[in-house]
Amino acid sequence: MITFALSLLLVFKTNSSFARWWEGRVVWGQIVNYARNYCRMVLMWFPQDPVLRAAALRWASAGPRALKAHIREGTELVHEVQEILLPGEVQALLRWPNAPQGCGHMLAALVVAAKLNPMQETMLMEQVSLFVNMSGACERIFKTPIPSAYTRHTSRFLLIYLTMVPFLLWPSAKWFTPLVSVIIAFLLLGTENIGVQLEEPFKVLALDAACNGIIANIKDMQQLHEATMALVSQTCTEAGLADSTQHGGRRETLQSNSATMFLKTSSAGYEPGADAFDPRSFVRVVTGASQ
């Protein structure tokens, strides 16, 4: 009965700790995705201003490192970001009590400064929101540990059980009792230690490798962007497409016609106070527009 109760305690603690570790791993996977998507959109959509683009890429690289310093004890923020940000940017970030929040604010400000069209700005802001949300998830895990009373109770229960094991084994194991007791203690203490380590996931997760991987991915995108766009331009030329200006003009004309048709069909097929949409009015308008 005692063995069964101890097993339940150890299993519950190990499962709870593993759930925290796995959630932390999933969150950092989302952070990697944010960095890749944000930088890809910056390179595609930001104006041809090397200063603005470089600033956006720097802050996208610094965000995960600032988050790592925020949730891992003994890590200095300056040491993490001084090789990425400019000296003035480092000092500006140090004024924020919550460094990841400061990075998110700067990322959003750079998007606004780029003066993109509403659709592009919305998509980039979604990536900034993803980073801020994942930072909040990390803070929740970091600031909400498993209750210490449960951890202490499990450790005391295990210590008492291991002390009693030799007396319980002697009638059946005789002189093999010391060897069997050592094996049981090794297995149970190892299981308990696994739970203790996984309880603080940001101490055991490879956050350094994740941050270095993000920086490497951003550098690769930055270096290969011009070659990629040149390849796309060559492909369009070989396909016989019109130049980008004419193609853009046709796209804007189609969007304008689509918007006009939508307004016409909306006003013809639906009236305020009507109970249902009138498909006959819709067909008449679409037929007239196509003619």
Side-chain angles (χ1 to χ4, degrees):
M1 189 66 182
I2 296 177
T3 303
F4 179 73
L6 178 61
S7 300
L8 286 180
L9 284 175
L10 289 176
V11 168
F12 179 78
K13 180 178 180 181
T14 304
N15 288 345
S16 300
S17 299
F18 179 79
R20 290 167 57 84
W21 177 86
W22 180 247
E23 184 179 4
R25 176 63 186 88
V26 171
V27 167
W28 270 87
Q30 292 293 320
I31 292 173
V32 173
N33 294 338
Y34 128 79
R36 292 172 178 172
N37 290 328
Y38 181 87
C39 294
R40 173 175 51 83
M41 295 177 188
V42 165
L43 291 172
M44 292 292 181
W45 295 340
F46 265 41
Q48 298 295 331
D49 183 350
V51 176
L52 190 61
R53 283 191 175 189
L57 297 179
R58 283 198 307 272
W59 282 95
S61 302
R65 284 195 169 274
L67 177 59
K68 182 191 119 178
H70 187 64
I71 61 177
R72 177 176 282 183
E73 297 177 352
T75 305
E76 296 184 2
L77 176 61
V78 176
H79 176 72
E80 293 294 328
V81 300
Q82 64 183 358
E83 296 181 358
I84 302 173
L85 299 177
L86 301 178
E89 294 172 336
V90 174
Q91 295 302 318
L93 184 60
L94 290 176
R95 289 197 291 267
W96 284 81
N98 188 317
Q101 183 181 357
C103 290
H105 193 78
M106 189 63 185
L107 290 169
L110 290 169
V111 173
V112 174
K115 297 180 180 179
L116 306 173
N117 67 52
M119 182 188 68
Q120 295 171 344
E121 182 173 321
T122 299
M123 295 182 67
L124 273 163
M125 285 298 187
E126 288 177 354
Q127 297 303 317
V128 176
S129 298
L130 175 63
F131 172 72
V132 174
N133 293 339
M134 294 302 100
S135 299
C138 289
E139 289 179 348
R140 173 173 51 81
I141 297 173
F142 177 70
K143 296 181 179 180
T144 313
I146 295 177
S148 57
Y150 178 81
T151 302
R152 288 196 297 266
H153 179 71
T154 304
S155 300
R156 293 166 183 168
F157 195 169
L158 181 60
L159 179 62
I160 294 173
Y161 178 82
L162 293 177
T163 303
M164 296 174 56
V165 161
F167 301 99
L168 298 174
L169 291 177
W170 176 258
S172 57
K174 297 301 181 181
W175 295 107
F176 290 99
T177 297
L179 177 61
V180 176
S181 299
V182 169
I183 294 175
I184 294 175
F186 172 78
L187 296 176
L188 293 180
L189 290 175
T191 303
E192 199 263 345
N193 185 54
I194 291 173
V196 171
Q197 292 189 25
L198 295 181
E199 182 180 348
E200 299 294 339
F202 302 124
K203 292 182 178 179
V204 295
L205 284 173
L207 300 187
D208 290 322
C211 292
N212 293 335
I214 289 172
I215 295 174
N217 290 337
I218 293 176
K219 288 182 178 179
D220 291 341
M221 281 190 288
Q222 191 175 9
Q223 293 173 358
L224 298 175
H225 174 68
E226 295 301 331
T228 302
M229 298 309 295
L231 180 61
V232 171
S233 178
Q234 179 182 355
T235 303
C236 293
T237 302
E238 293 175 353
L241 297 179
D243 60 83
S244 59
T245 303
Q246 294 177 351
H247 183 67
R250 289 201 304 273
R251 182 172 61 248
E252 292 175 0
T253 302
L254 290 174
Q255 291 175 349
S256 177
N257 292 341
S258 300
T260 303
M261 183 179 294
F262 173 76
L263 292 175
K264 288 182 179 180
T265 54
S266 300
S267 61
Y270 176 78
E271 296 180 358
D275 295 332
F277 178 78
D278 185 1
R280 292 172 297 179
S281 300
F282 178 81
V283 171
R284 286 197 300 269
V285 173
V286 173
T287 304
S290 62
Q291 293 175 355

